Amino acid sequence: MNQQQLERIASDTFQKLFGLRASFVQTELTFYGCVVFLVADKQKVVIKFSKEMGRLAKEIQGLERLSQIVDCPVPAIYFYGREEGYDYLVLEWLEGQSAHELPPEAKAIATFGEHYTDILLALHECSHEKGFEVDADSFAPTLSEAFEHWMFPVYRYLMSSASPFSTQLKDSFERLWASRQQVLAPINHGSSLVHDDCHIGNVLFDPKTYKVAALIDPCDVGFKHREFDVFHLYDVRPDLNLADIYMKKASLADGYQARRWFLSLWDDAKHSRNIGWYDEAWISNKFERYYQECA
């Protein structure tokens, strides 16, 4: 992505929407795209660009759904557009610091951990009588059926000649795919509404109270299983022990530690299909951790 081009698009969009010339506060290149922070007088916005076509349309839906459920702010949506081949989303600028910057102090860690896990638990208490969401207004009664719907396109890409995956990793994923029903059997029923990318890089905290200030950047919000959120709690700042705090409040089915790596591996495969990301050593290490838990 061309940073200067995106900053120009963001600046022009800001002026058209608000009639003001903005100053650039910060531009961040992210895993899935680019985020530009703009300010003029009292008007402050965040403008997001995505590498993946259709990603921001899903985010709009996700933010709207979360705003109806969670007991903390989520960004309001001001505008959704497309310019020079880039989708972009103009969002409310919410105050707070990224939770990956949470200070390593006992009070900060305890306060944030309790509050954030309570928010996730409330989200996960929302279930759907029809089961697991596969499309808008379409559900599967079991997780294994829904998982096949979500992940078969990923598996097909991964095994194709167009994917960057080595022969060894393709063999490993082929075995992983074959084991899906057995691995998912303990959690095959009981859906939960999930954020689907809830690592703390996607959470803001209040630096005065250490409580959650906002929930941002949802991925594929929908009725899945709570474990699709829980495994993300290890992704950033594992020293906060958020998964352990969560599991003290809500017990998970037997075999969770193996499913944690199973779900994480398929999440990586999804990222590869969506934006071409690939790190063989990273993925191989996860397979080793998965095999250790299955032993």
Side-chain angles (χ1 to χ4, degrees):
M1 305 184 86
N2 185 315
Q3 182 173 328
Q4 289 184 334
Q5 180 186 16
L6 299 183
E7 289 178 347
R8 176 176 52 77
I9 294 171
S11 181
D12 290 346
T13 299
F14 188 97
Q15 188 164 23
K16 289 175 185 177
L17 290 176
F18 306 110
L20 299 168
R21 175 62 66 180
S23 58
F24 289 97
V25 175
Q26 189 175 356
T27 300
E28 294 182 1
L29 297 177
T30 66
F31 189 71
Y32 262 87
C34 178
V35 182
V36 182
F37 299 83
L38 298 175
V39 172
D41 294 336
K42 295 182 179 180
Q43 185 65 58
K44 302 167 72 174
V45 300
V46 176
I47 300 185
K48 294 186 66 173
F49 297 87
S50 177
K51 298 176 185 176
E52 182 193 1
M53 290 290 293
R55 168 58 52 192
L56 295 179
K58 291 181 180 179
E59 182 163 338
I60 291 172
Q61 296 173 356
L63 288 170
E64 290 174 342
R65 295 179 78 172
L66 290 175
S67 68
Q68 298 171 18
I69 302 296
V70 296
D71 187 23
C72 70
V74 299
I77 302 159
Y78 294 150
F79 187 75
Y80 174 49
R82 183 169 176 80
E83 196 78 32
E84 299 179 27
Y86 291 104
D87 288 340
Y88 64 92
L89 191 58
V90 184
L91 297 166
E92 177 186 13
W93 177 320
L94 293 174
E95 298 300 327
Q97 293 179 229
S98 176
H100 80 269
E101 299 174 351
L102 191 76
E105 302 169 5
K107 180 181 178 181
I109 291 172
T111 301
F112 176 83
E114 287 297 319
H115 191 207
Y116 186 38
T117 52
D118 282 346
I119 288 171
L120 289 177
L121 285 163
L123 180 65
H124 297 161
E125 286 301 311
C126 299
S127 61
H128 201 288
E129 61 183 8
K130 292 183 179 180
F132 301 87
E133 194 169 8
V134 293
D135 283 314
D137 301 319
S138 179
F139 291 80
T142 65
L143 178 58
S144 60
E145 292 175 79
F147 186 83
E148 289 186 18
H149 180 93
W150 301 327
M151 287 299 169
F152 181 71
V154 175
Y155 176 65
R156 184 174 55 195
Y157 151 80
L158 190 156
M159 300 301 292
S160 73
S161 59
S163 90
F165 286 74
S166 67
T167 300
Q168 181 178 354
L169 283 181
K170 285 184 177 182
D171 290 344
S172 295
F173 270 104
E174 186 174 23
R175 293 192 296 272
L176 200 67
W177 180 253
S179 71
R180 64 193 182 279
Q181 292 189 5
Q182 179 183 355
V183 173
L184 297 174
I187 57 171
N188 213 21
H189 299 278
S191 65
S192 290
L193 190 62
V194 300
H195 177 284
D196 202 46
D197 197 20
C198 66
H199 64 74
I200 64 168
N202 291 334
V203 187
L204 304 181
F205 80 98
D206 184 327
K208 294 181 180 178
T209 66
Y210 303 124
K211 289 190 174 183
V212 174
L215 197 58
I216 62 175
D217 295 348
C219 191
D220 297 320
V221 173
F223 288 100
K224 298 184 178 181
H225 191 279
R226 66 179 64 215
E227 290 187 15
F228 282 71
D229 270 350
V230 178
F231 84 84
H232 281 297
L233 298 179
Y234 301 93
D235 289 349
V236 181
R237 292 288 302 274
D239 60 295
L240 301 182
N241 297 315
L242 292 172
D244 291 339
I245 297 171
Y246 183 99
M247 287 186 282
K248 287 179 180 177
K249 300 177 180 181
S251 60
L252 301 180
D254 290 345
Y256 165 70
Q257 289 300 334
R259 287 193 303 276
R260 163 195 167 187
W261 295 107
F262 176 91
L263 295 175
S264 187
L265 281 161
W266 287 111
D267 198 53
D268 284 348
K270 179 181 71 174
H271 293 323
S272 181
R273 177 178 180 263
N274 289 349
I275 59 172
W277 171 87
Y278 180 68
D279 186 329
E280 185 163 347
W282 175 270
I283 297 170
S284 296
N285 180 63
K286 283 191 179 180
F287 267 110
E288 288 299 319
R289 300 296 298 271
Y290 173 70
Y291 296 143
Q292 289 170 14
E293 293 296 339
C294 291

